Amino acid sequence: MKRRKKASRGQKTTIALLAAAGILLAGSAVGSTRAALSYYSDNYTANLAVSEIGVALVENGKETSDALLADMVGKDEKVIPGREYKEELTVKNTGEIDQYVRVSIAKSWMKDGQKVTSLSPDLILLDLIGNGWIEDKGASTKERTVLYYSRPLAGGETAPIFADTIKIDGAVASKASKETVKSENGYTTVTTTYRYDGVTFNLEAHVDAVQTHNAQDAIKSAWGVNVNVSSDGTLSL
């Protein structure tokens, strides 16, 4: 943000800029302020245990092998902090046999191709809705959430969605890290640098599956976690 003040007359003119690569900021302290925050995601990955096992991530009703969030906004639209966007995520058994599935969702901020660890992933709000999915709290962190579907999926079956919307917390527009003051030609310029300038947000999904035969041992071997499997096949941690 820049404020110019004529030293001799005491008049003020405020120019507000938030240069974060691609979001329209609405309802900020200066009503005319516009800025941008782009979004980014790597392709999701899938690990397959045996040839009969297959698993696919389903985003907004479609199996995807491309980047997440590709259709989050229109071609010329900007992401608006605080606004919810549809992001329905689940997993489909694309294999031939029953299987248990796991998904790991990672949220992060990126700048110049590098992860920005000083910025909180908590400001990336993916709404998780349960729906038969259980969280492995021992494996989850602020950046990563690990979920298991609580019952086996038959071949060709799709689990209920575990997330339905995503949004960027409006607080992203108020995070400033430093100010610099410069006087030149009778004007004083105050420049505010925001911690989120030039960053993008990143959502990644990693999905994998385990056979139901000897499920407890198979899950322990593949995922390193102890689970209980009831007589009807329901999984619990």
Side-chain angles (χ1 to χ4, degrees):
M1 185 183 297
K2 296 185 176 181
R3 300 192 300 274
R4 287 194 161 190
K5 179 173 65 177
K6 186 71 175 179
S8 59
R9 298 178 60 187
Q11 297 176 335
K12 295 182 179 179
T13 301
T14 300
I15 302 172
L17 295 175
L18 174 56
I23 313 192
L24 172 65
L25 295 182
S28 61
V30 180
S32 62
T33 299
R34 289 193 175 190
L37 176 69
S38 65
Y39 54 89
Y40 163 81
S41 177
D42 284 328
N43 293 351
Y44 83 92
T45 58
N47 287 340
L48 309 182
V50 294
S51 60
E52 293 86 358
I53 289 182
V55 65
L57 185 73
V58 178
E59 181 184 32
N60 296 325
K62 298 179 181 179
E63 291 182 34
T64 180
S65 58
D66 299 319
L68 295 176
L69 309 175
D71 300 319
M72 183 174 174
V73 296
K75 180 180 178 182
D76 298 319
E77 295 180 39
K78 306 297 181 183
V79 177
I80 302 175
R83 175 178 292 182
E84 290 186 342
Y85 294 88
K86 181 180 178 181
E87 184 63 5
E88 294 183 349
L89 296 173
T90 188
V91 173
K92 180 180 180 179
N93 179 352
T94 60
E96 302 171 2
I97 62 174
D98 293 359
Q99 62 189 32
Y100 290 99
V101 295
R102 177 181 70 167
V103 60
S104 297
I105 301 294
K107 303 179 297 180
S108 60
W109 297 92
M110 305 288 290
K111 185 173 184 179
D112 300 327
Q114 301 294 321
K115 185 176 293 186
V116 182
T117 58
S118 61
L119 306 181
S120 175
D122 288 341
L123 292 174
I124 305 168
L125 305 174
L126 181 67
D127 186 28
L128 302 176
I129 59 175
N131 233 358
W133 291 83
I134 55 178
E135 181 180 353
D136 185 347
K137 295 186 180 297
S140 296
T141 65
K142 283 188 176 181
E143 183 174 322
R144 184 177 75 136
T145 300
V146 179
L147 302 170
Y148 302 91
Y149 187 51
S150 59
R151 69 174 187 81
L153 291 179
E157 184 181 3
T158 300
I161 61 173
F162 59 80
D164 60 355
T165 62
I166 190 171
K167 69 178 178 180
I168 301 302
D169 195 315
V172 70
S174 63
K175 301 295 184 180
S177 59
K178 65 178 180 178
E179 287 189 342
T180 58
V181 180
K182 180 180 180 181
S183 297
E184 186 177 3
N185 299 324
Y187 289 92
T188 297
T189 301
V190 180
T191 301
T192 302
T193 301
Y194 289 87
R195 291 190 298 142
Y196 291 85
D197 285 358
V199 300
T200 61
F201 69 89
N202 184 39
L203 181 69
E204 299 175 62
H206 176 96
V207 299
D208 55 4
V210 170
Q211 64 188 21
T212 57
H213 180 65
N214 292 326
Q216 288 181 244
D217 291 338
I219 289 172
K220 176 63 175 179
S221 176
W223 296 338
V225 61
N226 293 310
V227 300
N228 298 310
V229 180
S230 65
S231 59
D232 66 357
T234 301
L235 180 151
S236 60
L237 297 177

